[in-house]
Amino acid sequence: MNIILQSDKKCKFYTGIPKVDTFNDLFAELEQKVRQIRHWKGPKRTCNPLKNRKYTQSKTNRKLSLKFEFALTLMKLRLGLLFEDLADRFGISTTHASNIFTTWIKVLSSTIGALVFNPSKEAVKTNLPPSFKGTKYIDVRHIIDCTEVFLERPNNLEVAAQTWSDYKHHNTAKYLVSINPSGLINYVSEGFGGRCSDKYITNNSGYLDIIEPYDCVMADRGFTIREELALVRAQLFIPPGRRGVTQMSTNEVQQTKDIANRRIHIEQAIRRMKYFRILKYEVPLTLVQHLDSIFKTIAGICNMYPPPLPKYKT
């Protein structure tokens, strides 16, 4: 624990939290919430409270302090360590390390995950980067893209087929991510099978529910959702492209360049999320049930970072 709190650099490396002060403030905020929570023991150990009322007496018996449990969970997210490795580092059993993570990730998803929110139009306009001001993209409120997380191959053939991604040539879970022009993540979807198209996920994830009239959405060419957005009086900006046309006009080339230069924000936001190694490599089947909570927690942590503002080429 001492090395984690040694400096902001070490804190970010081990936990993903950008500053030591932020780590301490977060823990202070969470401490009372988790103090009375009993560790998850698995469905087979769930007791009927009517049969065993003494069961709740052990809920505060902990082998690690709450701060160590908090650090263990964040280290799992940031470094992608095996539970056996974490157990050795913290002097506990592998099962107990797993139970701690399962308990905390639900809490972090509902608290840190709450940092993923959709700011008002006024807030977005106030923080609009210079590259969007004075252009036809001034009303852009959402920049969207999908990202995939590798999964261990499922034993169930039907699930394996649903999660197979032809693009990645691997079993994956696919997520829709939306940011505003300043780089704040304002929406992450639940996970879908890797075989789902970008359009299908956009239409079935609930993302369209946060779109308001006269919003503008910027996306890649695969998001053919112009009609869906038109139903809520919103506009879509995607690079031009027509089937069967091998050469674009000068106008289309410039438009493609303009959108690509501004879509770099979403690419950087997703790259920042993949800084957490649990998302960078293959997720084991035992963690798939927690993947939505993991993804949302990481998105919330990324919103604690300064916005990535690249220099645009004109």
Side-chain angles (χ1 to χ4, degrees), residues 146-149 151 154 158-166 168 170-176 189-198 200-201 288 291-292:
C146 283
T147 185
E148 297 184 66
V149 179
L151 304 178
E158 184 179 353
V159 175
Q162 291 172 348
T163 57
W164 179 256
S165 169
D166 287 332
K168 295 291 186 180
H170 204 284
N171 295 96
T172 67
K174 196 170 183 179
Y175 290 86
L176 175 68
S189 72
E190 295 180 348
F192 286 76
R195 69 181 294 179
C196 295
S197 68
D198 296 345
Y200 178 87
I201 295 173
V288 170
L291 192 51
D292 287 353

Side-chain angles (χ1 to χ4, degrees), residues 107-171:
V107 176
L108 297 185
S109 177
S110 63
T111 51
I112 295 178
L115 295 176
V116 179
F117 67 99
N118 189 28
S120 66
K121 289 185 180 183
E122 293 73 20
V124 173
K125 280 283 183 70
T126 300
N127 295 283
L128 202 64
S131 57
F132 285 80
K133 295 179 179 177
T135 70
K136 65 179 180 179
Y137 307 114
I138 192 170
D139 292 319
V140 169
R141 192 177 176 191
H142 305 268
I143 307 173
I144 63 174
D145 203 357
C146 283
T147 185
E148 297 184 66
V149 179
F150 284 3
L151 304 178
E152 182 184 352
R153 180 176 174 81
N155 295 322
N156 185 297
L157 294 180
E158 184 179 353
V159 175
Q162 291 172 348
T163 57
W164 179 256
S165 169
D166 287 332
Y167 180 65
K168 295 291 186 180
H169 302 289
H170 204 284
N171 295 96

Side-chain angles (χ1 to χ4, degrees), residues 44-59:
K44 293 182 180 179
R45 298 190 183 185
T46 301
C47 297
N48 184 340
L50 297 177
K51 294 182 179 179
N52 185 4
R53 294 187 179 276
K54 295 182 180 179
Y55 183 65
T56 56
Q57 293 179 1
S58 64
K59 66 183 178 183

Side-chain angles (χ1 to χ4, degrees), residues 18-212:
K19 295 179 180 295
V20 173
D21 288 345
T22 307
F23 178 94
N24 289 327
D25 290 343
L26 271 175
F27 175 72
E29 186 72 23
L30 293 168
E31 187 174 10
Q32 292 304 316
K33 184 183 288 286
V34 299
R35 185 170 293 281
Q36 298 302 318
I37 292 180
R38 173 170 47 83
H39 287 146
W40 171 250
K41 298 292 186 182
K44 293 182 180 179
R45 298 190 183 185
T46 301
C47 297
N48 184 340
L50 297 177
K51 294 182 179 179
N52 185 4
R53 294 187 179 276
K54 295 182 180 179
Y55 183 65
T56 56
Q57 293 179 1
S58 64
K59 66 183 178 183
T60 56
N61 292 340
R62 296 177 182 271
K63 297 178 182 178
L64 291 179
S65 70
L66 289 171
K67 204 164 194 176
F68 274 77
E69 292 183 1
F70 182 45
L72 181 151
T73 305
L74 292 174
M75 287 174 68
K76 176 68 175 174
L77 297 178
R78 165 64 188 100
L79 302 175
L81 300 174
L82 297 175
F83 284 122
E84 186 171 353
D85 188 347
L86 287 168
D88 290 342
R89 289 172 186 248
F90 286 87
I92 56 177
S93 69
T94 303
T95 300
H96 191 50
S98 175
N99 291 341
I100 289 172
F101 179 81
T102 300
T103 302
W104 272 83
I105 195 61
K106 298 301 181 185
V107 176
L108 297 185
S109 177
S110 63
T111 51
I112 295 178
L115 295 176
V116 179
F117 67 99
N118 189 28
S120 66
K121 289 185 180 183
E122 293 73 20
V124 173
K125 280 283 183 70
T126 300
N127 295 283
L128 202 64
S131 57
F132 285 80
K133 295 179 179 177
T135 70
K136 65 179 180 179
Y137 307 114
I138 192 170
D139 292 319
V140 169
R141 192 177 176 191
H142 305 268
I143 307 173
I144 63 174
D145 203 357
C146 283
T147 185
E148 297 184 66
V149 179
F150 284 3
L151 304 178
E152 182 184 352
R153 180 176 174 81
N155 295 322
N156 185 297
L157 294 180
E158 184 179 353
V159 175
Q162 291 172 348
T163 57
W164 179 256
S165 169
D166 287 332
Y167 180 65
K168 295 291 186 180
H169 302 289
H170 204 284
N171 295 96
T172 67
K174 196 170 183 179
Y175 290 86
L176 175 68
V177 180
S178 172
I179 64 170
N180 62 35
S182 65
L184 181 82
I185 300 173
N186 59 17
Y187 179 84
V188 292
S189 72
E190 295 180 348
F192 286 76
R195 69 181 294 179
C196 295
S197 68
D198 296 345
K199 179 175 181 175
Y200 178 87
I201 295 173
T202 306
N203 288 338
N204 292 276
S205 63
Y207 169 70
L208 295 176
D209 295 338
I210 71 169
I211 301 297
E212 298 178 6

Side-chain angles (χ1 to χ4, degrees), residues 208-267:
L208 295 176
D209 295 338
I210 71 169
I211 301 297
E212 298 178 6
Y214 310 111
D215 278 353
C216 292
V217 179
M218 184 174 283
D220 200 7
R221 195 174 285 115
F223 288 85
T224 53
I225 55 171
R226 193 178 301 278
E227 292 180 3
E228 288 83 354
L229 291 175
L231 291 174
V232 292
R233 292 179 290 171
Q235 187 177 357
L236 177 67
F237 288 116
I238 60 173
R242 291 173 290 171
R243 289 183 180 274
V245 178
T246 56
Q247 188 168 350
M248 292 190 292
S249 66
T250 305
N251 226 9
E252 290 174 330
V253 170
Q254 186 60 47
Q255 189 178 346
T256 300
K257 184 178 178 181
D258 289 344
I259 293 175
N261 283 340
R262 288 164 178 83
R263 280 194 68 257
I264 196 171
H265 277 306
I266 186 67
E267 296 168 7

